[in-house]
Amino acid sequence: MLRGKAFKFGDNISTDHITPGRLAHLRSNLPELAKHVLEDADPTFASRVKAGDFIVAGNNFGLGSSREHAPLVIKMVGVNAILAKSVARIFFRNAINLGLPVLICNTDNIDDGDELEVDLARGTVNDITRANQLTFGKLPEVMLHILNEGGLIPYIKKYGDFKL
Amino acid sequence: MTLAEKILAAHTDKKKVSPGEFINVRVDLILANDITAPIAIREFQRIGVDKVFDPKKVVMVPDHFVPNKDIASAEQAKLMREFAREQEILYFEVGQMGIEHVLLPEQGLVLPGDVVIGADSHTCTYGALGAFATGMGSTDIAAAMATGDIWMKVPPTIKLIYHGNLGKWVSGKDLILYTISNIGVDGALYSAMEFVGEAIDTLSIDSRFTMANMAIEAGAKAGLFRVDNKTQLYVKSRAKRPYLVYEPDNDAEYSQVIEYDVSLLEPQVALPHSPANTKPVSQVENIDINQAVIGSCTNGRLEDLRIAAQILKGRKVHPEVRCIIIPGSQQVYLDALVEGLIEAFIKAGAAVSTPTCGPCLGGHMGVLAAGERCISTTNRNFVGRMGSPKSEVYLANPAVAAASAIMGRITSPGEILG
């Protein structure tokens, strides 16, 4: 069971919102880059987010670059999972490959600051603040396996190849 | 099967694949650049294998921050170079280096029928040659470097038919901007786009690269063109290995068929801060610019520079505009030099740079200050893309960018050349 606070974002949050290109000089200094996570979408996010919190977004979260720094710094600041109506495909793969859960569900009724409880195994989100329960779509099996192994590298180490 | 399904099926042990199916795909080429390769190399080493699955099928191109912009860039290029040497894989050093998606097709490294994965979202560019090419992250690339395989979900295919003949100054850039504005930045999410129609048949290969390049800007996994005589002509002199041409079946199933009549289409301009926020250039009036960038994996090819030179030759860049022109590869640079294009640019007062992604991602060679505005032939105009989050990027074709550089405001090339 994961528990934390919702940080609400809108549609089409790009990888440039998450890790702006102008900070590329920090790309080999991830702890420093993480201090700017999502800066161009919400300049206060990095200072407010706490380990265990959730990013809650609308459609097409993570569109743009294939830069893995984007999901990496989100994971580094301790975000438990990303909840979104839809997620851009490269970002989706990258997040799962790094062991960061991405849950596809209707996020319209979750508000910024809501206290959430997520049960990954049962596929439910409990919005404690609003006493509202949601379900999220099951991940494809291959992604679930990768996530369960803690990411793609431990998965490949264990199986040697993709087991579909 | 659609073109995408045909190519994917041929890279599995299956005779047929269908949208939604999960498959293990054998890859023909794997690519990484100086932003993504360092992470891919680190993850590859964590897997614990010594050698990449096939050194002939892995390519590394330092193009984003090279020639080294700063110490971090130098360290990353060094790491890539050493790994490439140790693994005996192809690495393009400064002097041979170009923007990856301009360079690889030009060098005959990607061919029709290939499956290509690259740790760069614009890997979809190679769809112009009838390849299935898609961008992924560094960790996927690391796994593929070790195994030669990658898992994929077979995408549904959207067929886009373009009827009519293109007007003057209208190119692949305008078709793709128009399409993205019509279907949205997630209009093709997880899908393959297949571009057909008489307007597509008449498009040059360079213009097809531009269109396929921006398929990702509609959320697509790939953007594909069928192979025709133009493709064959482009590929024939470059290919150093055999390749197969795939055709979609007559009974191929498409998730959507979208038709456009583009006879009356004007050059398009995407306003901040989305490639979908597109208007015809005639409706974008009196917007002063500080900078014009002509180049990138979208529009840094010879045809693009020829068009820019047609407009800039014998004229002067507006005194309050910095015009930056970046040939996409050394070959493009050399061809442009021999043709006199570079001389025309310099005499017009433009800065010409060695190939790099540079300003497109706000990296170097043309970063914007707060309040500044740039017209650019690149592919993204998200908040802060080219520098300050308070700057603005307008996307357009090279003719519009060149004309705007002269006038100091966004304008149609028609205003200068009729």
Side-chain angles (χ1 to χ4, degrees):
Chain A
M1 196 78 80
L2 308 173
R3 192 169 170 155
K5 207 166 79 166
F7 282 84
K8 189 86 186 261
F9 293 88
D11 293 338
N12 298 317
I13 297 296
S14 76
T15 50
D16 285 308
H17 283 113
I18 304 169
T19 48
R22 66 175 177 279
L23 301 172
H25 59 286
L26 298 175
R27 65 200 175 280
S28 48
N29 184 357
L30 290 172
E32 199 54 40
L33 187 61
K35 290 183 189 163
H36 300 272
V37 60
L38 276 157
E39 187 169 276
D40 286 356
D42 175 1
T44 67
F45 174 74
S47 58
R48 292 188 296 134
V49 67
K50 291 193 178 59
D53 287 343
F54 297 96
I55 286 174
V56 178
N59 279 309
N60 206 19
F61 185 83
L63 78 156
S65 166
S66 67
R67 278 174 242 158
E68 227 160 73
H69 309 76
L72 205 54
V73 291
I74 288 176
K75 196 181 173 197
M76 280 187 73
V77 296
V79 167
N80 253 338
I82 295 165
L83 284 66
K85 287 201 237 177
S86 68
V87 176
R89 51 163 286 277
I90 302 179
F91 185 92
F92 198 173
R93 290 186 75 116
N94 285 348
I96 300 295
N97 284 345
L98 298 172
L100 173 66
V102 174
L103 317 175
I104 306 299
C105 57
N106 185 350
T107 53
D108 281 344
N109 292 326
I110 303 175
D111 270 350
D112 194 56
D114 283 3
E115 195 70 21
L116 305 180
E117 206 170 57
V118 171
D119 188 331
L120 284 177
R122 284 179 52 222
T124 57
V125 179
N126 186 10
D127 187 332
I128 296 165
T129 312
R130 298 164 66 95
N132 188 20
Q133 182 127 337
L134 294 164
T135 55
F136 53 83
K138 207 179 134 213
L139 284 174
E141 207 160 324
V142 58
M143 285 185 142
L144 212 53
H145 277 165
I146 292 169
L147 202 53
N148 285 343
E149 294 301 331
L152 181 60
I153 298 304
Y155 173 96
I156 290 287
K157 268 178 108 159
K158 184 162 171 185
Y159 297 108
D161 208 334
F162 299 100
K163 301 291 169 215
L164 297 182
Chain B
M1 287 188 284
T2 66
L3 181 52
E5 292 158 14
K6 273 277 186 72
I7 298 170
L8 289 177
H11 289 75
T12 67
D13 298 326
K14 296 164 183 249
K15 285 205 173 64
K16 188 181 186 322
V17 299
S18 308
E21 193 177 336
F22 286 84
I23 53 171
N24 223 357
V25 184
R26 290 185 290 272
V27 296
D28 296 302
L29 195 76
I30 299 171
L31 155 81
N33 61 47
D34 50 322
I35 293 188
T36 56
I39 298 182
I41 292 167
R42 192 189 69 202
E43 296 302 292
F44 173 83
Q45 286 162 342
R46 271 181 61 206
I47 295 173
V49 291
D50 296 334
K51 288 274 170 200
V52 298
F53 83 107
D54 182 346
K56 287 192 178 60
K57 293 185 177 173
V58 183
V59 182
M60 292 195 174
V61 185
D63 56 1
H64 282 62
F65 296 106
V66 172
N68 303 331
K69 157 188 187 268
D70 51 22
I71 295 168
S73 313
E75 295 292 347
Q76 299 204 289
K78 184 170 174 230
L79 184 102
M80 277 173 89
R81 187 183 299 116
E82 286 171 359
F83 180 79
R85 219 171 264 165
E86 168 203 310
Q87 296 284 332
E88 297 175 312
I89 60 182
L90 198 51
Y91 174 83
F92 286 91
E93 192 51 271
V94 171
Q96 283 98 50
M97 174 275 287
I99 298 172
E100 50 196 340
H101 309 310
V102 177
L103 182 68
L104 265 50
E106 171 198 288
Q107 296 293 318
L109 291 164
V110 293
L111 297 171
D114 281 356
V115 170
V116 182
I117 61 168
D120 187 90
S121 59
H122 292 106
T123 302
C124 52
T125 310
Y126 315 131
L129 298 180
F132 187 97
T134 191
M136 290 187 185
S138 299
T139 305
D140 272 322
I141 292 307
M145 286 201 300
T147 66
D149 294 333
I150 195 75
W151 75 267
M152 279 190 209
K153 186 176 175 184
V154 178
T157 302
I158 301 172
K159 186 183 196 174
L160 297 116
I161 311 172
Y162 299 83
H163 300 288
N165 294 311
L166 295 182
K168 207 173 177 189
W169 309 115
V170 179
S171 65
K173 183 61 164 282
D174 307 295
L175 292 182
I176 194 67
L177 285 177
Y178 179 72
T179 304
I180 297 164
S181 75
N182 182 259
I183 66 173
V185 289
D186 58 356
L189 195 62
Y190 304 121
S191 299
M193 301 167 92
E194 197 177 303
F195 303 105
V196 296
E198 60 263 29
I200 299 296
D201 296 339
T202 61
L203 273 189
S204 68
I205 294 293
D206 281 1
S207 240
R208 293 180 196 181
F209 280 128
T210 304
M211 280 188 83
N213 175 268
M214 290 189 70
I216 179 72
E217 262 50 78
K221 188 168 197 162
L224 295 94
F225 289 76
R226 297 174 186 184
V227 173
D228 62 8
N229 289 338
K230 285 183 191 170
T231 327
Q232 294 281 15
L233 199 67
Y234 180 90
V235 169
K236 216 164 52 183
S237 59
R238 297 178 159 90
K240 294 167 197 77
R241 56 182 164 89
Y243 58 91
L244 289 168
V245 172
Y246 298 93
E247 293 277 344
D249 294 325
N250 288 329
D251 61 351
E253 283 179 34
Y254 295 92
S255 60
Q256 266 187 87
V257 177
I258 301 172
E259 299 192 47
Y260 300 113
D261 186 336
V262 292
S263 309
L264 299 176
L265 191 76
E266 273 185 57
Q268 305 285 303
V269 178
L271 282 61
H273 292 283
S274 168
N277 192 14
T278 293
K279 284 185 183 170
V281 65
S282 62
Q283 291 177 26
V284 186
E285 283 167 0
N286 296 322
I287 295 179
D288 292 338
I289 54 163
N290 308 97
Q291 181 166 296
V293 169
I294 299 171
S296 83
C297 60
T298 317
N299 280 116
R301 298 181 182 80
L302 191 58
E303 178 185 86
D304 302 314
L305 300 190
R306 282 178 180 152
I307 291 168
Q310 241 181 298
I311 292 164
L312 286 165
K313 191 170 183 183
R315 297 187 176 80
K316 287 281 178 201
V317 168
H318 191 277
E320 283 164 39
V321 174
R322 294 103 56 182
C323 181
I324 300 164
I325 302 178
I326 309 178
S329 72
Q330 291 290 79
Q331 191 61 53
V332 170
Y333 201 161
L334 188 57
D335 290 345
L337 188 71
V338 171
E339 286 187 17
L341 313 183
I342 303 296
E343 188 183 339
F345 296 149
I346 292 174
K347 284 185 173 164
V352 183
S353 156
T354 195
T356 178
C357 306
C360 173
L361 71 157
H364 61 147
M365 293 299 296
V367 176
L368 299 174
E372 288 193 326
R373 209 176 273 146
C374 176
I375 189 150
S376 178
T377 68
T378 53
N379 43 46
R380 288 187 180 138
N381 57 349
F382 302 146
V383 172
R385 175 72 181 177
M386 203 175 270
S388 167
K390 294 198 176 80
S391 64
E392 292 184 346
V393 177
Y394 292 70
L395 305 176
N397 74 29
V400 172
S404 306
I406 292 168
M407 299 304 291
R409 58 179 164 77
I410 297 177
T411 189
S412 163
E415 190 178 332
I416 290 168
L417 278 179

